[in-house]
Amino acid sequence: MSSPSNSLTKRNRPVHSPDGRRRSGGGIRETAVVDPFTTLPDSLLIHLLSFLPIGDAVKTQVLSKRWQFLWTYITSLVFHILDPPHTGDDEFVAFVDKTLALCNCSKLKKLAIRFVYEPEYPSSYNMWTQFAIGKGVEEFQLVFEDSLGVLREGDSYLLPQLLYTNSSFKALELAQCNLKPQGVVCWNSLKKLSIGRVKLSEDVIQKILTGSRVLEILELYDVYGFNRLHVSNASVKKLIVRDFWEQEKEYQIYGGHHALLEISAPHLHSLEILGVSVHKMFRVGNVSSLVDAILRFNVMIYSYGPDDYDWYPTMLKELLQSLVHVKKITLGNWAIQVLCIMEGKGLRSPLLKCECLTLDTGITKALLPGIAHMLQSSPNLETLVVSVPLPSTISCEYFSDKVCNFDGKHYWTSRKKPFTCLLFRLQKVKFIGFGQHEVDYYLSFVQFILENARVLQKMVITARMEGNNWQKEFTQAAQKLLSFPRSSPHAVVLFSE
């Protein structure tokens, strides 16, 4: 006897007609089309709306009566002057004002506003900050920019005093906002702080750090006005400084010598110095807890003096001396070229305890001495990464006229002293963007590594494909590379795209 689930016969089983309607017996019944969104709770719909650009989310109010006010309960609001449908500053400011006025959330997780700074909207700027405070925003971004990309002193929004005593903020980004706290700063919940495009004083920085007791990440970019950054907070584990500069009039006060930014942070785990530094050099003091350092910056001097090329090696040598205990170091193109100058002058870097070294650069003739210099200075190196920047971010060769007086094609074979790390420590090597510019220099370096790294276990080569011709060239280079002898019997070479 068959079970109930199998008891349908051909005679009474439902049949569908070609147009999708259901046929049962001799009649046809219309099947109602159900909108799947009608069965979803409002909370889920609001969550889905939060993934849309705010302009598109607002447009959903015309869908039906149920949708009319759903968007007003979105807990994350992001406004950007470049996002459609805004055609001008007035329209953007009016849209932000109206959207915030209609917001029905009792508490917001995120409010981000990015706008070209214009001094004629102070009432709106005040309303935005007061709204963030009133709604208990956890992540607040108020980022002003200049339409010309030039920061002029005085072109900034003066933050209201009420903003400095807010315990709701967990992440805060302020750009072109004038910070002048008159009393105590009280950001008791703040874990990440980013400040950019403004003049700061050491006193203001210390007030902020004192009032941010659980701060973990501090980022300062495109700022000026101070020469010492001391972070004593035990909670701060990551510091990012980017695009520092000194005003020309202040640069002249130093008698034409480069201004120094001295950084000390005894509890810091990660330090990143990035971007372009204009008339500003760096010195690192007490960073005894540091485990990861990224030096991916270059110094720009508008009028070079006769001793500028002596300043750079001195500064970089002092930086490396402060980082001798750091296990993971990343160097950018400019720093490697300064190492080339040091190599040419016979100046040695301190021996580093670095175990993982990343070189964010391509391999060209002008960089070979700098690469060799770092390998010589890293006897404990276990992992080497060579990562080529994207074409739009590749740095120029600053000092090639001073360091390229050698035979680049036979540079590695002419090395007489073996590197300690190759003999005893180096186990992993990775190339990202292999041979994107000068394949021959890559191949000679790879051959040198394979023939001398006695304990090498793995070499990974990742290429950025650019058209059929490059793919063919990479295939030929890979075949040649695989023919190189290997000092380590355990070394394997892997390729990926």
Side-chain angles (χ1 to χ4, degrees), residues 155-168:
D155 282 356
S156 58
Y157 167 60
L158 180 61
L159 291 175
Q161 294 301 311
L162 190 61
L163 197 76
Y164 297 108
T165 54
N166 186 291
S167 297
S168 297

Side-chain angles (χ1 to χ4, degrees), residues 373-394:
H373 190 99
M374 275 305 291
L375 292 178
Q376 186 72 44
S377 302
S378 307
N380 297 316
L381 188 64
E382 297 178 355
T383 301
L384 173 65
V385 179
V386 180
S387 179
V388 182
L390 294 172
S392 60
T393 60
I394 292 176

Side-chain angles (χ1 to χ4, degrees), residues 126-292:
N126 289 334
M127 191 270 279
W128 299 348
T129 54
Q130 290 170 7
F131 176 87
I133 296 169
K135 293 292 185 178
V137 172
E138 296 180 2
E139 181 180 351
F140 183 40
Q141 299 175 10
L142 186 58
V143 178
F144 291 108
E145 299 176 353
D146 189 278
S147 58
L148 300 177
V150 179
L151 178 60
R152 295 184 295 269
E153 190 171 356
D155 282 356
S156 58
Y157 167 60
L158 180 61
L159 291 175
Q161 294 301 311
L162 190 61
L163 197 76
Y164 297 108
T165 54
N166 186 291
S167 297
S168 297
F169 294 142
K170 293 183 179 179
L172 189 60
E173 181 179 1
L174 303 169
Q176 212 159 325
C177 294
N178 197 350
L179 288 88
K180 290 187 176 180
Q182 296 177 0
V184 175
V185 175
C186 187
W187 287 335
N188 293 332
S189 302
L190 191 65
K191 293 187 175 182
K192 181 178 181 181
L193 175 62
S194 179
I195 301 175
R197 297 183 56 77
V198 71
K199 183 177 182 179
L200 292 173
S201 69
E202 294 178 17
D203 290 340
V204 168
I205 294 173
Q206 288 307 312
K207 266 190 176 183
I208 291 173
L209 291 174
T210 301
S212 307
R213 298 181 180 180
V214 298
L215 187 66
E216 297 176 358
I217 302 174
L218 174 63
E219 179 183 23
L220 301 174
Y221 65 93
D222 208 359
V223 296
Y224 67 102
F226 61 97
N227 296 309
R228 187 170 181 268
L229 179 59
H230 178 64
V231 183
S232 60
N233 305 42
S235 61
V236 178
K237 302 303 180 184
K238 185 173 185 177
L239 174 63
I240 304 169
V241 294
R242 173 166 53 89
D243 296 329
F244 266 60
W245 58 288
E246 200 67 64
Q247 286 187 317
E248 188 174 355
K249 60 181 180 180
E250 296 185 19
Y251 172 68
Q252 294 301 326
I253 292 176
Y254 292 91
H257 294 294
H258 308 301
L260 278 172
L261 174 64
E262 184 172 347
I263 301 171
S264 62
H267 305 287
L268 205 65
H269 289 178
S270 175
L271 171 64
E272 298 182 15
I273 305 178
L274 313 172
V276 178
S277 175
V278 181
H279 293 306
K280 198 83 167 181
M281 308 284 256
F282 297 98
R283 177 180 294 159
V284 174
N286 182 3
V287 287
S288 55
S289 301
L290 201 66
V291 295
D292 185 5

Side-chain angles (χ1 to χ4, degrees), residues 49-58 78 83-84:
L49 286 175
S50 67
F51 291 97
L52 294 176
I54 185 60
D56 293 338
V58 172
V78 178
D83 290 341

